[in-house]
Amino acid sequence: MTDRWIDIGTIHDIPRLGARTVPTPLGDVAVFRTGTDRVFALFDRCPHKGGPLSQGIVHGESVACPLHNWVIDLETGAARAPDKGCARKLAVRVEEGRILLSLPLAVAA
Amino acid sequence: MAREDREKIREELVVVGNGMAGCRAVEEVLKRDPHRYHITIFGAEPRVNYNRIMLSPLLAGEKRFEDIIINDEAWYADNGITLIAGDAVVEIDRAARTVKSASGRVVEYDRLVLATGSDPFVLPVPGAKLPGVVTFRDMDDVDAMLRASETGRRAVVIGGGLLGLEAAHGLSLRGMEVTVIHLMPTLMERQLDEAAGFLLKTALEARGQTILTGAETEAILGETHVEGVRLTDGRVIPADIVVMAVGIRPNTVLAQAAGLEVGRGIKVDDHMLTSDPAVLAVGECVEHQDVCYGLVAPLWEMCAALADALTARPSEGYRGSVTSTKLKVAGLDVFSAGDFSGGADCEDIVLRDAARGVYKRVVIRDSRIIGAVLYGDTGDGAWYFQLLREGADISAVRDSLIFGQAFAEGGSFADPRQAVAALSDNAEICGCNGVCKGAITRAISEQGLTTLDAVRSVTKASASCGSCTPQVEMLLSLTLGDDYSGERVVSPMCKCTDFTHDDVRRLILEKALKAIPAVMQALHWKTPDGCSSCRPALNYYLLCAWPGEYADDQQSRFVNERLHANIQKDGTYSVVPRMWGGLTSAKELRAIADVVDKFNIPTVKVTGGQRIDLFGVKKEDLPAVWADLNAAGMVSGHAYGKALRTVKTCVGSEWCRFGTQDSTGLGVRIERMTWGSWMPHKFKIAVSGCPRNCAEATIKDFGIVCVDSGYELHIGGNGGIKVRATDLLCKVATEEEVMEYCAAFIQLYREEARYLERTAPWVERVGLDYIKQRIVEDAEGRAQLAARFRFSQQFHQDDPWASRVAGRDAHLHRPLSLAAE
Ligand SMILES: Cc1cc2nc3c(=O)[nH]c(=O)nc-3n(C[C@H](O)[C@H](O)[C@H](O)COP(=O)(O)OP(=O)(O)OC[C@H]3O[C@@H](n4cnc5c(N)ncnc54)[C@H](O)[C@@H]3O)c2cc1C
Ligand code: SF4
Ligand code: FES
């Protein structure tokens, strides 16, 4: 099954060092923007107790979960040691300022 | 062979584009085989080939046109090149192998080279075609700008990239008032990270330019000529000329019409061949392996590959380029190369030298440099770039890499410890305080100093900007050997800095630092944008130090403060309206009940702080919930903040048979004075009407117990994990005094406690005597503290709910949507 790239808005829609969410049938996706304008997407659930990662403080290329401060790597979704766990990541890219999110076809349809 | 015969066997090479790539390609071909082709070059511009890069210095008045010509008429003549300038090619007939020009000239070719460059992008906003709107690409544009600068006064440059800033620089040197409008929050965001962009912006502002970042152009205004620019936020900036420098787009019109394969640019292979092998393309108009370039370095490499192909030399061809850029604005050194966006598998080495205005950041992956950003001192740019392109393993020089080539490659100095050891005794270590090495080592051995703090207080070395901290630590360890523990007594604020909380607070004031990037630069932060521990602290310290001046940084706030509600375990929020002194009314209760019904709020609870907490509100509903509560006259209770929370009261003399004073009324007064104030941690107040203390005032941060003769003031109580009863600060006689002592105490705490330190540990750390001395014994100091508190309150007593409801940042509550194609 191929994925589809879906336009979810412009990079300006997300504050720098912040995130916005995108609701999908599989659950909310958090789309983050770093200080250097890289964009990452993870399902908006912390591997610890499901905290909304989109509401955490973004620093470097990680986000600190707002509930218990686990630090999640935005690139991989993995929690920083000593914590263990992984938030599911989604492919995302920016093209001419537009953010394109890759969703499994079944979800996008 | 007769000359005519030789001419006959020459193949016809036609080049479309008399720019940097077109002419360079011809030069490369001539270098390899001067007799192979008869060459015709078409140029749309009515002039010989010049150095486009130098248009910036030309505009700035640093160069004249004669200085920037690359090939003059003699060159064309000497090489038998036919230059057809000022006559653009309008059509290619690939079947007939001819090109046709605007004036109708038809020229045959055996091989055709397209080097048509790029076109500047013009924003499709109303007014974009008005006279006075120019782009920045060729001599005609520069002429237009020069003419405008002679008659007009104000220039607006749209686009804060490389080109826009160079245009702005030129125009301001020509005496114009320049405003740069940039969509992104950081200037030159493709080349610079946030920190370097901030420094650049500050430097340009210091030179008198107005830089508006995060500003979007909505329309260009004017009837017959530009008069101004309107932004989407409604601001209008008057202008006599508008320069659009928002980007370029490969010029592929001809290629497309001729049916060549075109993506973003004209598609070429490694030998610069297009989809038609008789046609080659080079320069900014091409797309090679999905990449289009906008700088000259890659086109030099392309031209070499193209010339090899045209002269049938076996060659590897073009393999793509890594690029680097420098800003050509005199006195502002900015360099960037490669990928500096960082990442999980990357390490950043950051050097911030505030005294010299230098910022350097080298990004490393697997012991290789993958990117670099340099500001203020770009001397080593070429070296980093070379290491980057070679993919050199830098492990051997890693420790001193950031200090630059001279230091890192200086043999024995590759180890910074050895470098310090090798310094003579009179070498200066601390530039701020002029302390030399000998003074430091002598102080260490003669006075038995063992810690950095001790060295700082005795010698002043590293006590100011702190950039020499590592050297001072090395001297400690070199002098003491194993006796130096390397541990600082007070630990640094977080891993991003060597400074303690107290250092940071002091330096923010001393150095008048007024923004987070400014603090990070001045204090040599080791990470590009801090972490979730230092950013909220810095945001608070700046807010406290510069009330009314510092612009709060939302992204440095914990979610509760960012959304003005408490996040709960399931990711929903709870909302607490303020109830002044614990009082409420039927109207407020009714409004709360209506909100509960309307938004299906599952749980409503009375809190320990005498308020009503509404649990389970969805993030998207927050603004609507607040709007309804605001409509009934209620404001945010700040139950989420490192801020003043509640003022708990008992009923006091108004109803209670024991009450000695109006504790409720006083509580309301105090809450009216203190609400909205940000604190190092949460802060609670209570007022009890008599020593029976029904409001539990002796476990609050500030507690008031009313007695017959006046008011007992208590401080430093805490009902949290570790319960602590208050200390008695003093007794006062009037309500006015209560208000002043309370304001002074809060301000002292706000100014001196460390972020996330509640009053209880703070009072224990600094001692009750110290606080008595500041608040009770020093009447003038107390008055000043109270005055500073009231001054800052004038800016902070606005209801965050109301401003959110009014639309500021309202979009952040809404999800983005899937706008599938
Ligand atoms: C102000 C300014 C400053 C710059 N500073 C730097 C810098 O510091 N460093 C850096 O690396 N790069 C810089 N650049 C970019 C650099 O100039 C370009 O990368 C380079 O000029 C591209 O070369 P090119 O030959 O592909 O295009 P161009 O130099 O633009 O040449 C294309 C030529 O083709 C002509 N043409 C187009 N269509 C036709 C047609 N149909 N018929 C005939 N002729 C045609 C055009 O008139 C033009 O003269 C700067 C650019 C500008 C404008
Ligand atoms: S503290 Fe004293 S005045 Fe207040 S309610 Fe209790 S008994 Fe009454
Ligand atoms: S749910 Fe994210 S840290 Fe606990």
Side-chain angles (χ1 to χ4, degrees):
Chain A
M1 188 164 59
T2 50
D3 288 359
R4 261 169 68 181
W5 291 100
I6 293 177
D7 188 324
I8 55 168
T10 78
I11 185 158
H12 312 295
D13 293 333
I14 306 178
R16 218 178 232 183
L17 296 171
R20 293 283 296 275
T21 55
V22 183
T24 79
L26 283 188
D28 282 358
V29 171
V31 186
F32 299 88
R33 174 173 170 201
T34 69
T36 51
D37 290 333
R38 292 193 70 185
V39 172
F40 296 99
L42 297 174
F43 276 101
D44 198 16
R45 286 182 56 78
C46 175
H48 179 219
K49 292 192 174 172
L53 296 173
S54 58
Q55 304 309 312
I57 291 183
V58 178
H59 54 98
E61 305 225 323
S62 43
V63 60
C65 175
L67 291 197
H68 316 95
N69 210 30
W70 278 30
V71 176
I72 308 297
D73 183 300
L74 293 176
E75 178 105 51
T76 60
R80 185 193 290 166
D83 299 320
K84 285 201 189 78
C86 207
R88 215 177 125 197
K89 66 171 277 198
L90 283 140
V92 68
R93 63 191 160 99
V94 179
E95 231 167 61
E96 291 174 350
R98 310 259 353 151
I99 303 174
L100 303 177
L101 184 68
S102 167
L103 281 182
L105 194 56
V107 178
Chain B
M1 208 186 298
R3 187 162 183 267
E4 306 78 69
D5 295 333
R6 218 164 54 213
E7 283 298 310
K8 233 192 253 146
I9 58 162
R10 286 195 180 199
E11 292 170 78
E12 289 296 332
L13 175 64
V14 171
V15 179
V16 185
N18 187 33
M20 311 255 325
C23 287
R24 178 61 167 242
V26 168
E27 285 175 14
E28 292 283 329
V29 169
L30 293 175
K31 213 161 53 177
R32 285 166 179 70
D33 190 347
H35 305 298
R36 179 165 187 146
Y37 292 103
H38 175 256
I39 302 171
T40 306
I41 304 179
F42 280 91
E45 292 179 65
R47 49 184 75 89
V48 293
N49 169 232
Y50 60 91
N51 189 345
R52 195 172 304 284
I53 298 182
M54 291 298 157
L55 288 178
S56 300
L58 190 77
L59 177 66
E62 292 153 8
K63 289 252 168 11
R64 292 163 311 157
F65 183 68
E66 299 86 87
D67 302 331
I68 73 167
I69 290 173
I70 301 179
N71 294 304
D72 57 12
E73 276 159 26
W75 175 80
Y76 293 93
D78 291 350
N79 291 290
I81 299 166
T82 312
L83 171 64
I84 304 175
D87 192 7
V89 170
V90 291
E91 199 186 306
I92 304 171
D93 184 338
R94 289 203 285 133
R97 296 210 172 174
T98 57
V99 296
K100 191 163 111 202
S101 76
S103 70
R105 212 182 307 231
V106 175
V107 175
E108 284 181 25
Y109 66 80
D110 295 301
R111 299 288 211 123
L112 177 66
V113 171
L114 299 178
T116 49
S118 321
D119 289 326
F121 188 72
V122 176
L123 289 177
V125 293
K129 294 212 169 69
L130 279 172
V133 180
V134 297
T135 53
F136 189 17
R137 181 74 197 174
D138 58 26
M139 263 313 288
D140 294 341
D141 295 331
V142 174
D143 282 340
M145 284 190 247
L146 292 181
R147 261 180 280 120
S149 71
E150 276 158 23
T151 54
R153 197 162 56 84
R154 288 166 301 205
V156 167
V157 175
I158 305 178
L162 206 66
L163 227 61
L165 295 183
E166 291 183 5
H169 171 66
L171 292 170
S172 78
L173 286 187
R174 298 279 178 180
M176 299 194 86
E177 277 168 38
V178 180
T179 303
V180 177
I181 297 174
H182 192 52
L183 187 59
M184 307 291 279
T186 300
L187 291 177
M188 287 176 65
E189 75 284 346
R190 282 164 194 263
Q191 289 86 22
L192 300 183
D193 62 6
E194 201 188 356
F198 173 82
L199 293 173
L200 178 60
K201 178 165 183 255
T202 314
L204 290 172
E205 284 167 343
R207 291 174 167 213
Q209 296 183 18
T210 305
I211 312 279
L212 306 177
T213 47
E216 186 168 0
T217 306
E218 186 175 74
I220 295 176
L221 311 173
E223 295 290 319
T224 55
H225 190 274
V226 285
E227 287 163 20
V229 173
R230 188 175 65 233
L231 304 181
T232 47
D233 63 11
R235 274 181 290 181
V236 169
I237 300 128
D240 304 309
I241 183 173
V242 171
V243 181
M244 287 251 194
V246 292
I248 54 170
R249 147 188 306 162
N251 177 354
T252 58
V253 185
L254 270 183
Q256 201 141 26
L260 295 172
E261 214 179 300
V262 170
R264 281 222 306 134
I266 305 167
K267 293 210 172 185
V268 292
D269 67 7
D270 290 354
H271 302 282
M272 311 317 289
L273 300 185
T274 67
S275 53
D276 174 348
V279 183
L280 296 86
V282 68
E284 273 184 1
C285 59
V286 310
E287 174 181 323
H288 175 260
Q289 289 183 353
D290 299 332
V291 186
C292 296
Y293 295 91
L295 292 169
V296 293
L299 64 90
W300 295 162
E301 296 172 33
M302 288 180 197
C303 285
L306 173 127
D308 287 338
L310 280 178
T311 54
R313 278 201 185 185
S315 95
E316 266 207 340
Y318 177 63
R319 288 297 166 87
S321 307
V322 203
T323 55
S324 70
T325 35
K326 272 184 102 148
L327 180 68
K328 300 189 300 295
V329 171
L332 287 182
D333 293 322
V334 176
F335 171 91
S336 100
D339 176 6
F340 54 86
S341 53
D345 47 350
C346 300
E347 294 166 273
D348 285 308
I349 305 183
V350 178
L351 172 101
R352 303 183 194 243
D353 184 337
R356 287 196 302 139
V358 170
Y359 170 81
K360 298 186 185 185
R361 174 161 164 235
V362 177
V363 185
I364 292 172
R365 186 194 290 139
D366 299 332
S367 298
R368 281 166 227 288
I369 298 182
I370 60 162
V373 183
L374 309 178
Y375 180 90
D377 173 3
T378 51
D380 285 303
W383 182 58
Y384 292 129
F385 187 50
Q386 186 194 349
L387 293 174
L388 187 158
R389 281 207 299 189
E390 288 170 355
D393 186 325
I394 51 85
S395 338
V397 292
R398 191 183 191 285
D399 286 348
S400 42
L401 184 70
I402 199 74
F403 301 114
Q405 181 172 23
F407 196 60
E409 289 185 347
S412 61
F413 293 154
D415 175 358
R417 227 179 105 100
Q418 273 172 307
V420 171
L423 290 174
S424 64
D425 268 0
N426 56 13
E428 187 178 81
I429 299 285
C430 172
C432 300
N433 298 297
V435 190
C436 62
K437 177 181 163 186
I440 298 171
T441 48
R442 237 174 297 124
I444 295 171
S445 40
E446 286 170 14
Q447 305 194 36
L449 309 180
T450 54
T451 65
L452 184 63
D453 282 329
V455 175
R456 278 188 179 161
S457 55
V458 171
T459 66
K460 281 267 166 277
S462 90
S464 295
C465 84
S467 62
C468 56
T469 304
Q471 284 95 313
V472 174
E473 286 186 317
M474 278 172 214
L475 288 177
L476 269 164
S477 87
L478 287 167
T479 317
L480 298 175
D482 291 342
D483 290 345
Y484 177 54
S485 59
E487 294 285 315
R488 298 192 55 188
V489 182
V490 181
S491 46
M493 194 160 152
C494 68
K495 61 173 186 352
C496 305
T497 177
D498 290 329
F499 287 103
T500 64
H501 280 269
D502 299 344
D503 289 338
V504 171
R505 295 209 79 166
R506 176 175 54 84
L507 290 163
I508 284 176
L509 292 170
E510 266 175 29
K511 293 173 168 286
L513 305 172
K514 300 191 176 174
I516 289 179
V519 176
M520 292 183 172
Q521 171 66 19
L523 307 189
H524 314 278
W525 240 245
K526 296 175 203 161
T527 48
D529 53 29
C531 68
S532 57
S533 146
C534 58
R535 286 229 317 272
L538 291 180
N539 190 49
Y540 168 72
Y541 292 156
L542 288 163
L543 204 71
C544 178
W546 313 111
E549 249 185 283
Y550 171 68
D552 190 64
D553 179 26
Q554 286 293 299
Q555 302 319 324
S556 297
R557 285 192 178 273
F558 184 64
V559 57
N560 285 357
E561 293 182 351
R562 204 176 331 120
L563 292 186
H564 309 291
N566 264 335
I567 192 164
Q568 301 299 344
K569 62 181 279 187
D570 62 351
T572 64
Y573 292 82
S574 79
V575 167
V576 184
R578 195 166 284 287
M579 283 182 180
W580 306 96
L583 293 175
T584 185
S585 66
K587 181 180 169 227
E588 288 184 352
L589 291 172
R590 211 171 280 122
I592 290 175
D594 287 343
V595 162
V596 170
D597 282 343
K598 182 164 161 191
F599 295 95
N600 279 317
I601 291 174
T603 302
V604 181
K605 178 172 189 316
V606 175
T607 71
Q610 301 181 329
R611 298 189 294 195
I612 292 176
D613 202 348
L614 310 174
F615 285 91
V617 182
K618 291 196 254 344
K619 182 178 160 200
E620 325 57 292
D621 286 344
L622 286 172
V625 166
W626 299 335
D628 286 6
L629 295 171
N630 273 166
M634 282 175 277
V635 298
S636 170
H638 286 87
Y640 43 78
K642 309 281 177 256
L644 176 92
R645 299 217 173 156
T646 55
V647 178
K648 191 172 179 178
T649 60
C650 70
V651 292
S653 60
E654 208 184 338
W655 295 95
C656 178
R657 60 202 162 97
F658 300 108
T660 64
Q661 314 274 359
D662 177 13
S663 51
T664 319
L666 178 57
V668 173
R669 263 189 91 184
I670 289 191
E671 188 161 356
R672 294 259 177 218
M673 170 178 81
T674 53
W675 77 280
S677 53
W678 297 108
M679 305 275 187
H681 209 305
K682 62 184 170 193
F683 194 98
K684 297 177 178 178
I685 300 179
V687 191
S688 287
C690 83
R692 284 172 187 77
N693 194 10
C694 294
E696 295 162 342
T698 50
I699 52 159
K700 295 290 183 274
D701 295 278
F702 192 83
I704 300 148
V705 177
C706 306
V707 290
D708 281 326
S709 55
Y711 307 84
E712 287 175 356
L713 306 183
H714 297 261
I715 58 167
N718 187 346
I721 299 179
K722 188 160 163 272
V723 182
R724 181 182 193 275
T726 46
D727 294 307
L728 178 64
L729 180 68
C730 63
K731 222 181 107 184
V732 296
T734 65
E735 275 200 3
E736 294 321 311
E737 285 171 292
V738 175
M739 303 287 280
E740 170 158 317
Y741 280 69
C742 177
F745 174 76
I746 288 181
Q747 188 64 10
L748 187 66
Y749 169 62
R750 280 164 39 97
E751 288 179 4
E752 298 194 354
R754 297 168 188 158
Y755 192 65
L756 296 188
E757 183 176 42
R758 282 202 67 180
T759 56
W762 173 61
V763 169
E764 286 183 4
R765 177 164 68 82
V766 302
L768 182 61
D769 287 345
Y770 170 75
I771 293 174
K772 281 187 174 164
Q773 182 200 320
R774 296 288 305 270
I775 307 288
V776 184
E777 289 151 31
D778 177 3
E780 198 183 313
R782 175 177 67 238
Q784 282 165 1
L785 281 166
R788 285 207 291 278
F789 178 71
R790 283 190 294 265
F791 174 75
S792 112
Q793 280 299 82
Q794 142 197 359
F795 306 102
H796 292 141
Q797 284 194 325
D798 61 341
D799 178 34
W801 288 357
S803 56
R804 278 287 168 117
V805 168
R808 191 161 62 87
D809 301 331
H811 64 285
L812 297 183
H813 290 266
R814 289 192 298 270
L816 292 165
S817 60
L818 297 175
E821 329 88 282

